[in-house]
Amino acid sequence: MNGSIITEFVFLDFSCSRSAWFILLTLVLTCYITILLGNMLIMVTVWTEPKLFQCPMYLFLANLSLLDMTLGSVASPKLVTDLLNSGRTISFGGCMAQICSQHFFGGSEMFLLAVMAYDRYVAICHPLRYTTIMNRQHCFGLLIFCWIGGLIHGIFQVAVMALLPYCGANVLDNFYCDITQLIKLACSETYVDEILLIVSDGLLLVPSLLALLVSYAIILATICGRFGKDGSKALSTCSSHLTVVGLFFGPCIFVYLKPSSYSQVDKMASVFYMVVTPALNPLIYTLRNQEVKRAIGKLKNKCQCILVPQRE
Ligand SMILES: *[C@@H]1O[C@H](CO)[C@@H](O)[C@H](O)[C@H]1NC(C)=O
């Protein structure tokens, strides 16, 4: 094999004008700051408010925030420094670390979204049995499943990519190490690997999506049957979650499940699900969820007490 050892990869420029560069930089920076602060705020809110901390839905939400924070950190910091400097290389190890963490956290998030849909299904369709079904142990088990499932997925993806024979071409037309791009740099036409990865992605995507769709179909049917006209109220408890699901799966499906001609549009879709979506989730939940809003208000009061010591 004429395989040369690749020690680093080069990211191709976003071919764009100065003003587009500035807009992109501002967008990514704003999103990243929102990712860190917004998700932190949600986690702290859930942890400090006992009423929320006892409710499985908010424990899932805090876990989702943690995942969004880590997923948002896979590509954004590197993208910001790359936009500021013109050096755009990443070491082989760094590239593999990006792949592993992207698929670990992304995979876990997919599972978690499915679990959250199941949680809403139980809450709406079996309200009387909710506390027994969603007890602490059961919740914990579901969360462990999400995290371990994502980890296995990440390790599998990175193992396949690290073992591919690379020939020397090392230019990636993206801003992070994306497997659909990386696989094209392999020497041999390794259809086997491509199939392996697609199967692995499919194993994750399809069951999660099915669980989501089935949960929501049953929820919808139940709401229509049981509540009649009041259904919209019950449905609104799911609407934030549905929005988040759409934002996560939409671009993901767009990039991974279509024929592999790569374009500027795909790159934008990648920016969307690597950078924008993790920033939108906390916004959606804090702006639309009354309980979270109330708890944040309480937290604000508590902080004021700490900052401004009250006179006795
Ligand atoms: C995730 O959920 C578990 C409980 O099931 C909880 O103990 C943990 O604190 C949560 N993680 C975060 C970051 O809130």
Side-chain angles (χ1 to χ4, degrees):
M1 208 168 277
N2 59 351
S4 51
I5 310 280
I6 287 192
T7 54
E8 63 177 21
F9 294 96
V10 179
F11 295 144
L12 212 61
D13 256 338
F14 274 91
S15 45
C16 59
S17 62
R18 192 86 192 151
S19 54
W21 170 86
F22 186 72
I23 293 172
L24 188 63
L25 180 64
T26 317
L27 174 78
V28 175
L29 259 182
T30 316
C31 284
Y32 193 51
I33 292 170
T34 314
I35 288 171
L36 294 183
L37 293 183
N39 286 305
M40 246 333 182
L41 179 66
I42 289 191
M43 282 192 280
V44 171
T45 307
V46 172
W47 291 339
T48 51
E49 175 63 47
K51 217 170 83 195
L52 295 190
F53 196 69
Q54 271 152 24
C55 180
M57 183 175 134
Y58 294 104
L59 279 181
F60 293 145
L61 182 58
N63 276 263
L64 183 69
S65 284
L66 182 61
L67 278 173
D68 274 333
M69 227 163 88
T70 44
L71 190 61
S73 302
V74 169
S76 309
K78 173 97 178 98
L79 178 56
V80 169
T81 53
D82 283 354
L83 282 168
L84 289 175
N85 314 317
S86 33
R88 289 158 164 56
T89 59
I90 187 169
S91 67
F92 187 83
C95 189
M96 292 303 136
Q98 268 196 344
I99 291 175
C100 189
S101 45
Q102 185 207 345
H103 287 270
F104 173 16
F105 301 127
S108 296
E109 181 156 339
M110 248 179 226
F111 284 133
L112 184 57
L113 288 173
V115 166
M116 287 171 87
Y118 171 68
D119 170 73
R120 289 300 83 206
Y121 154 74
V122 177
I124 290 176
C125 302
H126 305 283
L128 297 179
R129 281 163 48 207
Y130 182 71
T131 41
T132 13
I133 295 178
M134 280 290 167
N135 61 26
R136 262 236 140 35
Q137 270 159 320
H138 194 179
C139 276
F140 199 71
L142 284 172
L143 279 166
I144 295 283
F145 162 78
C146 293
W147 285 95
I148 301 277
L151 183 63
I152 292 172
H153 176 66
I155 289 174
F156 180 76
Q157 301 272 329
V158 80
V160 173
M161 295 318 293
L163 292 176
L164 277 187
Y166 296 100
C167 275
N170 68 343
V171 178
L172 291 168
D173 187 16
N174 211 337
F175 61 93
Y176 70 101
C177 281
D178 176 31
I179 52 167
T180 55
Q181 285 284 299
L182 210 57
I183 212 160
K184 289 187 203 138
L185 301 182
C187 291
S188 45
E189 294 287 306
T190 45
Y191 288 115
V192 179
D193 293 303
E194 200 152 352
I195 288 166
L196 266 180
L197 289 180
I198 290 171
V199 167
S200 164
D201 274 336
L203 276 181
L204 196 73
L205 207 63
V206 174
S208 312
L209 252 183
L210 273 182
L212 279 164
L213 292 179
V214 169
S215 294
Y216 280 116
I218 300 176
I219 289 174
L220 213 61
T222 311
I223 287 175
C224 293
R226 190 177 300 168
F227 299 100
K229 270 187 191 155
D230 298 330
S232 59
K233 207 168 155 194
L235 196 63
S236 78
T237 67
C238 304
S239 61
S240 332
H241 185 235
L242 269 176
T243 316
V244 169
V245 167
L247 282 172
F248 187 82
F249 279 88
C252 203
I253 290 172
F254 180 77
V255 171
Y256 280 97
L257 296 188
K258 65 174 203 50
S260 56
S261 69
Y262 212 72
S263 68
Q264 223 46 17
V265 182
D266 291 13
K267 231 191 249 184
M268 283 303 149
S270 306
V271 171
F272 206 83
Y273 79 78
M274 291 296 279
V275 180
V276 181
T277 306
L280 286 179
N281 287 357
L283 288 181
I284 291 166
Y285 276 103
T286 45
L287 293 183
R288 300 190 61 174
N289 188 303
Q290 293 303 324
E291 288 288 321
V292 174
K293 262 201 237 172
R294 212 170 298 140
I296 288 178
K298 258 194 199 171
L299 192 68
K300 221 169 76 192
N301 289 342
K302 262 188 220 164
C303 291
Q304 274 168 357
C305 294
I306 296 168
L307 293 176
V308 189
Q310 241 112 80
R311 243 175 270 163
E312 300 288 319

